[in-house]
Amino acid sequence: KELIVANEQIRQLVLSQKEFIDITAHELRTPIQAISGNFELIKMTYVPSLFQVSSNRQNSNNIDKDFEILFKDKNRLNDFAFGLVSTYRNAQRLEKLVNVILVASRIESNRLELHKESFNLNEEIQNVIKDVHNKIDLSSHHGDSPPSIDIVFEPKEDPITIFADKIRIFEVISNLINNAITFSNGESITISVKKFQNNENEMNHVKDDDLVYVERDIGKKKDECVLISIKDKGKGIDKEILPRLFNKFVTKSDQGTGLGLFIAKNIIEAHGGRIWAQNNKNEKGATFSFSLPINK
Ligand SMILES: Nc1ncnc2c1ncn2[C@@H]1O[C@H](COP(=O)(O)OP(=O)(O)OP(=O)(O)O)[C@@H](O)[C@H]1O
Ligand SMILES: [Mg+2]
């Protein structure tokens, strides 16, 4: 009997690994196809000489000629430039995807390592906000102007020094803010941070709301913790995915892999914290919150 159970467990494991490979390979295909399509155009129409093998001198003449022709035709030049930007974007997407897949795969096999250090959480949140704004500026510079986003963060207490993996916490906050931006149609986003003792009532009022996910055993010890909330005024979390929100590959976005929240949950829990989400009561949007022990 034990053998049958063990066999079934292995079968499930193999199946879930296959699913992981299938889905991630599928995700990688889209940007790769875009990049290779763009280069195909360069090869076939814009600068074919780049891909031709001939003597060095001859080749460089041919390349000069191709570029001369290209520069004379503004429309084609525009298309060419557009293709380059698209290649850059897709390469970035690919890089991001590979990182996300690597982290998810480490989580799956219990290989996620934390490198903890002391840092000011407020400063790190400011860094994420700066990074998000830089990325928005960059993409509006590249043609499509996403609405500029108002991210409100006014820490009431500073510094809030925590002992945690700075890079991973950056990733979590960055993912939550990016989600808020994606699903909030340009409306402002508010971030708040506060300290609490993890056996205080602080969490209880949160518990009374209709939560999507919250661990109820917050603990009896008087540990000092910090609670970070990211509130948006967007369309709220789709009811259909609410119960599975933090599972991998759960997504309602065309571009998304559905790994962001899965990774966030695992990073926060590896720190001994909790993460949950709720649709706002009596107003639009959602609030994602997580707690972290301060661990001085
Ligand atoms: N602030 C939010 N408001 C509404 N829905 C949200 C919000 N944040 C997340 N969601 C829902 O949860 C889903 C999963 O989010 P998650 O970050 O895990 O994946 P994703 O953003 O779709 O893709 P990626 O892997 O690129 O992050 C989203 O597709 C969306 O449907
Ligand atoms: Mg996301």
Side-chain angles (χ1 to χ4, degrees):
K1 245 188 185 166
E2 269 171 29
L3 215 58
I4 295 175
V5 173
N7 247 331
E8 180 55 24
Q9 279 171 344
I10 293 172
R11 206 179 68 88
Q12 289 300 334
L13 194 72
V14 172
L15 268 179
S16 87
Q17 281 180 344
K18 280 203 172 121
E19 183 203 44
F20 190 86
I21 294 171
D22 276 0
I23 298 180
T24 51
H26 186 81
E27 293 290 334
L28 294 173
R29 199 160 58 179
T30 317
I32 290 173
Q33 277 173 338
I35 292 172
S36 91
N38 289 331
F39 274 99
E40 199 59 33
L41 274 175
I42 295 178
K43 185 179 167 196
M44 301 306 284
T45 76
Y46 300 128
V47 201
S49 52
L50 271 178
F51 297 85
Q52 277 153 13
V53 201
S54 51
S55 74
N56 273 352
R57 176 180 266 286
Q58 181 61 31
N59 205 20
S60 109
N61 283 343
N62 288 343
I63 294 172
D64 285 355
K65 262 188 225 146
D66 277 352
F67 272 115
E68 258 174 50
I69 299 169
L70 182 64
F71 274 74
K72 280 188 187 136
D73 185 337
K74 286 286 169 240
N75 282 337
R76 276 181 75 224
L77 187 62
N78 260 341
D79 291 346
F80 171 75
F82 188 83
L84 284 186
V85 173
S86 147
T87 302
Y88 171 65
R89 286 256 185 78
N90 280 290
Q92 277 190 318
R93 166 132 191 86
L94 213 49
E95 194 182 342
K96 200 186 125 196
L97 269 173
V98 170
N99 286 338
V100 162
I101 292 168
L102 272 177
V103 176
S105 152
R106 284 203 192 120
I107 289 170
E108 288 279 86
S109 52
N110 288 323
R111 285 179 295 128
L112 185 77
E113 281 176 25
L114 297 181
H115 303 282
K116 292 190 182 181
E117 60 188 299
S118 283
F119 61 93
N120 181 359
L121 180 65
N122 292 336
E123 229 168 68
E124 206 51 17
I125 295 175
Q126 303 283 16
N127 287 341
V128 180
I129 296 173
K130 263 187 233 154
D131 182 65
V132 167
H133 277 139
N134 285 343
K135 293 224 168 93
I136 292 177
D137 289 348
L138 194 70
S139 48
S140 56
H141 184 71
H142 280 154
D144 53 17
S145 353
S148 70
I149 300 281
D150 198 9
I151 304 174
V152 184
F153 174 50
E154 287 151 4
K156 297 205 171 60
E157 184 182 341
D158 191 70
I160 294 186
T161 309
I162 64 169
F163 186 66
D165 188 322
K166 196 166 157 182
I167 295 174
R168 298 274 177 237
I169 297 299
F170 184 99
E171 281 169 5
V172 172
I173 302 168
S174 171
N175 186 18
L176 295 179
I177 295 182
N178 279 314
N179 279 347
I181 292 175
T182 307
F183 300 102
S184 74
N185 319 310
E187 296 268 9
S188 67
I189 292 155
T190 310
I191 304 173
S192 60
V193 176
K194 61 180 166 183
K195 281 189 187 168
F196 70 99
Q197 301 287 334
N198 81 357
N199 63 341
E200 269 180 14
N201 292 335
E202 198 88 67
M203 302 291 282
N204 292 339
H205 83 272
V206 183
K207 276 202 235 171
D208 292 335
D209 285 349
D210 58 336
L211 286 187
V212 175
Y213 174 87
V214 66
E215 287 289 317
R216 270 141 214 283
D217 56 334
I218 294 163
K220 298 278 183 291
K221 280 184 299 183
K222 267 205 171 186
D223 284 339
E224 197 169 34
C225 292
V226 60
L227 175 73
I228 299 106
S229 293
I230 292 143
K231 182 177 176 183
D232 66 59
K233 299 175 185 166
K235 60 182 186 129
I237 304 153
D238 196 296
K239 291 273 180 299
E240 193 202 321
I241 61 164
L242 266 176
R244 297 173 293 128
L245 194 59
F246 292 91
N247 291 3
K248 58 179 187 294
F249 305 129
V250 171
T251 180
K252 281 276 168 189
S253 118
D254 304 335
Q255 283 269 308
T257 53
L259 286 174
L261 290 178
F262 169 75
I263 292 175
K265 178 174 189 277
N266 279 279
I267 291 176
I268 296 306
E269 290 182 355
H271 280 87
R274 296 281 176 260
I275 185 167
W276 64 94
Q278 58 191 134
N279 280 324
N280 299 330
K281 287 220 156 153
N282 309 321
E283 42 182 346
K284 283 196 302 175
T287 301
F288 282 76
S289 311
F290 64 91
S291 64
L292 279 176
I294 283 183
N295 279 343
K296 266 188 281 206

